[in-house]
């Protein structure tokens, strides 16, 4: 095929794609038949592809890029191809129709970071020197934004699919989805600090509670002056404004108590008070009251777990040590693995300390999902379907567990791929066994070569039973 023929073929494909996209119209008004028409298979495929790409594939590609893995480029290119295919399917589906939405507008806006990331990536692969350091930073920043963009667009998609957050419901949607996403983001940051962010925290010269308290203060100030919109004060207005007051008052106290790199329990205490307030937040529907109560209880438990963690399981982050003795992000009591530059771990910290530190972010994730699922429209729909609050809450906590699993999985991918991956060890043929790759994460769980990890996982030797030992199933022969 000649060069002109290839260009003509590409232009025809682009033209067909553009016509299909422009032919898909959104109307300001829909009939009941259009609103309740069955969802066709093309739309379901669109939802599956985009959820897989933006919720799973692109985050993995981002982590592989940060770890400088050779699988970063193939993963991202696969994601780009599937994204374009999913976008095309989203504009040619039949069946149910939808009103114009933020999901529709965001889909077009997201092509800006997609093309920027793709263009910068191609430029960097050409190994051209001009602007390379600047573009490397841009490429990294855009890549880190992908999970945030994907989360936002998937929320917009779910809202558009259900027809929520229109008219007078918009304010409640914003409050629930923004604050719920904030709890999940807080949990994600806690995981990063716990596993790979200790050295950054040391270099900052601040304790984690300083940043927690600063964010709580800012959010409290915003909440105090945005909850009441004129007219008589309702009980909800007063309660939400009071929560804003405790956030910025307690946040300022937490910032002050964090001076000199000091750990404190103020953020955990504020979380407990917030949970207590929400657990007593009466609603119109009984199922709504139950879900809000469960949200409050989970939040109180998360605050309590955070206080216990700070008091008993997390020492003070010391200032940075000299380079020759400083451990990297993968090594110390605060992380899941001993560092490559550090001496063998001799800490007296018990193995359960690491496991307990997963409890606060897991509970915060569950609280965030519960709060996002507690809008009036969502719970009216659940109530009309005849589902009770127990079933609904268990489903939401299952979703939260899956989200937290994804967080931990992405951290695991970072610690075991690219520049962080360790070579596979040789297996002793005489043992006849399979030896796991000796990585920092495996060593932390006692699974690497030569590891006497905290849990003492070791291969069971193929040895004959000791003399005089009775083995179940053997019959005792009597002379």
């Amino acid at each position: 095929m000649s060069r002109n023929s290839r260009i003509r073929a590409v232009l025809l494909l682009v033209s067909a794609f553009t016509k299909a996209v422009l032919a898909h119209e959104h109307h300001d008004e829909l009939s009941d038949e259009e609103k309740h028409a069955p969802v066709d298979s093309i739309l379901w495929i669109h939802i599956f592809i985009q959820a897989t790409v933006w919720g799973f594939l692109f985050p993995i590609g981002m982590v592989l890029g940060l770890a400088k893995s050779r699988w970063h480029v193939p993963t991202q290119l696969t994601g780009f191809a599937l994204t374009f295919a999913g976008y095309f399917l989203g504009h040619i589906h039949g069946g149910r129709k939808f009103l114009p939405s933020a999901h529709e507008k965001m889909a077009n806006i997201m092509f800006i970071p997609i093309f920027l990331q793709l263009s910068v990536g191609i430029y960097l692969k050409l190994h051209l020197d001009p602007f390379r350091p600047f573009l490397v930073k841009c490429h990294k920043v855009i890549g880190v934004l992908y999970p945030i963009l994907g989360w936002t667009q998937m929320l917009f998609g779910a809202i558009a699919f259900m027809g929520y957050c229109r008219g007078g419901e918009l304010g409640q949607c914003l409050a629930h989805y923004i604050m719920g996403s904030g709890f999940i983001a807080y949990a994600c940051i806690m995981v990063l600090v716990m596993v790979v962010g200790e050295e950054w925290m040391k270099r900052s010269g601040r304790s984690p509670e300083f940043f927690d308290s600063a964010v709580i203060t800012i959010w409290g100030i915003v909440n105090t002056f945005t909850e009441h919109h004129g007219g008589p004060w309702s009980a909800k207005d007063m309660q939400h404004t009071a929560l804003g007051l405790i956030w910025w008052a307690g946040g300022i106290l937490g910032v002050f108590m964090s001076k000199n790199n000091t750990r404190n329990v103020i953020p955990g205490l504020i979380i407990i008070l917030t949970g207590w307030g929400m657990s007593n937040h009466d609603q119109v529907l009984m199922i709504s009251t139950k879900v809000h109560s469960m949200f409050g209880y989970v939040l109180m438990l998360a605050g309590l777990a955070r206080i216990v963690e700070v008091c008993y399981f997390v020492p003070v982050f010391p200032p940075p040590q000299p380079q020759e003795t400083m451990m990297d992000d993968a090594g110390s009591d605060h992380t899941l693995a001993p560092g490559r530059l550090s001496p063998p771990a001799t800490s007296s910290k018990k193995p359960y300390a690491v496991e307990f530190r997963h409890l606060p972010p897991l509970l915060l994730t569950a609280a965030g999902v519960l709060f996002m699922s507690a809008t009036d429209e969502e719970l009216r729909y659940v109530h009309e379907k005849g589902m009770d609050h127990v079933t609904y809450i268990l489903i939401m906590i299952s979703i939260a567990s899956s989200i937290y699993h994804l967080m931990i999985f992405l951290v695991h991918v970072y610690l075991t791929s690219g520049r962080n991956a360790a070579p596979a060890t040789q297996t002793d043929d005489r043992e006849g066994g399979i030896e796991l790759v000796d990585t920092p994460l495996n060593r932390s769980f006692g699974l690497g070569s030569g590891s006497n990890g905290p849990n003492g996982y070791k291969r069971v030797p193929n040895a004959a039973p000791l003399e005089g030992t009775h083995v179940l199933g053997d019959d005792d022969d009597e002379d």
Side-chain angles (χ1 to χ4, degrees):
M1 181 183 288
S2 65
R3 183 171 180 272
N4 291 334
S5 299
R6 289 197 296 269
I7 294 175
R8 194 179 300 112
V10 170
L11 291 176
L12 287 173
L13 287 174
V14 172
S15 176
F17 177 81
T18 304
K19 289 179 180 179
V21 169
L22 293 177
H24 183 79
E25 298 180 358
H26 289 267
H27 304 282
D28 294 333
E29 294 183 4
L30 297 176
S31 65
D32 288 339
E33 182 180 356
E34 290 175 323
K35 288 180 181 178
H36 301 97
V39 178
D40 69 346
S41 58
I42 293 179
L43 184 57
W44 284 121
I45 295 172
H46 160 79
I47 293 171
F48 175 77
I49 289 177
Q50 298 295 57
T52 302
V53 170
W54 289 94
F56 191 72
L57 198 59
F58 274 149
I60 291 178
M62 174 202 70
V63 170
L64 292 174
L66 294 174
K68 298 188 182 303
S69 169
R70 61 191 177 91
W71 293 104
H72 166 66
V73 173
T75 303
Q76 295 297 81
L77 289 178
T78 302
F80 288 136
L82 290 175
T83 294
F84 291 127
Y87 183 85
F88 177 75
L89 292 175
H91 285 80
I92 64 171
H93 71 84
R96 185 178 301 179
K97 305 298 181 182
F98 301 92
L99 293 169
S101 64
H103 180 70
E104 173 196 359
K105 295 179 175 62
M106 185 72 176
N108 297 324
I109 294 173
M110 288 178 71
F111 275 104
I112 297 174
I114 287 175
F115 282 119
L116 282 176
Q117 184 78 338
L118 187 59
S119 302
V120 173
I122 294 173
Y123 181 89
L124 293 176
K125 274 297 178 182
L126 296 176
H127 300 286
L128 301 177
D129 290 333
F131 310 109
R132 185 174 182 81
F134 172 75
L135 291 177
V136 167
K137 293 181 180 178
C138 290
H139 190 69
K140 182 181 294 186
V141 170
I142 297 172
V144 171
L145 288 176
Y146 265 47
I148 300 174
L149 294 172
W151 175 263
T152 304
Q153 179 66 340
M154 284 189 288
L155 283 182
F156 287 161
I159 292 169
F161 186 82
M162 298 301 297
Y164 292 158
C165 305
R166 295 186 180 275
E169 303 292 345
L170 180 59
Q172 188 189 59
C173 281
L174 290 174
H176 278 254
Y177 290 137
I178 292 174
M179 182 172 286
S181 298
F183 284 129
I184 297 173
Y186 186 15
C188 185
I189 293 171
M190 289 176 67
V191 169
L192 293 176
V193 171
M194 176 177 65
V195 181
V196 295
E198 179 186 323
E199 280 304 314
W200 181 88
M201 193 61 66
K202 288 179 180 179
R203 291 193 296 268
S204 72
R206 304 282 188 179
S207 68
E209 286 70 39
F210 171 84
F211 299 100
D212 297 348
S213 300
V215 173
I216 289 171
T217 301
I218 296 171
W219 187 258
I221 293 172
V222 173
N223 198 80
T224 300
F225 298 103
T226 57
E227 286 298 331
H228 181 63
H229 304 285
W233 282 74
S234 66
K236 284 187 177 182
D237 288 344
M238 290 186 282
Q239 188 180 71
H240 291 164
T241 302
L243 284 173
L245 290 173
I246 191 63
W247 291 342
W248 68 255
I252 292 174
L253 175 61
V255 169
F256 180 77
M257 292 182 65
S258 299
K259 61 185 178 65
N260 299 326
N261 195 19
T262 305
R263 307 302 301 267
N264 67 80
V265 299
I266 298 300
L269 181 60
I270 294 174
I271 292 174
I272 291 175
L273 291 173
T274 303
W276 171 77
M278 298 306 297
S279 67
N280 292 281
H281 207 1
D282 291 335
Q283 305 292 317
V284 176
L285 294 175
M286 180 57 69
I287 187 173
S288 184
T289 301
K290 294 289 187 181
V291 173
H292 276 80
S293 296
M294 189 62 184
F295 161 66
Y297 297 148
V298 172
L299 203 55
M300 285 191 286
L301 189 56
L304 179 61
R306 178 67 169 169
I307 290 175
V308 173
E309 177 195 358
V310 170
C311 292
Y312 296 102
F313 296 116
V314 186
V316 174
F317 290 99
Q321 301 175 0
Q323 184 64 33
E324 61 271 11
T325 61
M326 185 172 62
M327 295 186 296
D328 61 4
D329 283 352
S332 83
D333 294 336
H334 312 283
T335 62
L336 294 179
R340 292 179 295 278
L341 301 179
S342 61
T346 58
S347 172
S348 61
K349 186 172 290 297
K350 301 298 183 183
Y352 53 73
V354 173
E355 282 77 4
F356 185 88
R357 293 188 67 194
H358 283 286
L359 188 56
L362 174 59
L363 291 171
L364 283 171
T365 304
V369 172
L370 282 171
F371 195 60
M372 294 174 68
S373 65
T375 64
D376 289 343
E377 290 178 299
E378 290 170 315
L379 294 175
R380 277 198 300 268
Y381 176 82
V382 173
H383 179 71
E384 291 169 359
K385 293 298 180 180
M387 185 183 295
D388 68 333
H389 68 280
V390 175
T391 304
Y392 186 65
I393 289 171
L394 291 177
I395 291 173
M396 293 304 110
I397 293 180
S398 300
I399 294 173
S401 300
S402 300
I403 293 173
Y404 191 73
H405 177 208
L406 179 60
M407 293 183 198
I408 299 300
F409 175 74
L410 292 176
V411 173
H412 171 76
V413 171
Y414 175 78
L415 291 175
T416 57
S417 62
R419 61 185 178 185
N420 299 320
T425 57
Q426 298 295 325
T427 304
D428 190 348
D429 295 334
R430 291 172 297 178
E431 294 291 334
I434 299 175
E435 193 164 342
L436 292 176
V437 173
D438 188 17
T439 64
L441 191 63
N442 284 336
R443 286 200 304 272
S444 70
F445 290 109
L447 298 176
S449 66
S451 172
N452 295 318
N455 295 321
Y457 295 133
K458 296 180 180 179
R459 183 178 180 274
V460 178
N462 296 325
L466 295 175
E467 184 178 354
T469 301
H470 177 72
V471 179
L472 291 176
D474 291 350
D475 293 328
D476 295 330
D477 298 329
E478 295 182 2
D479 295 329

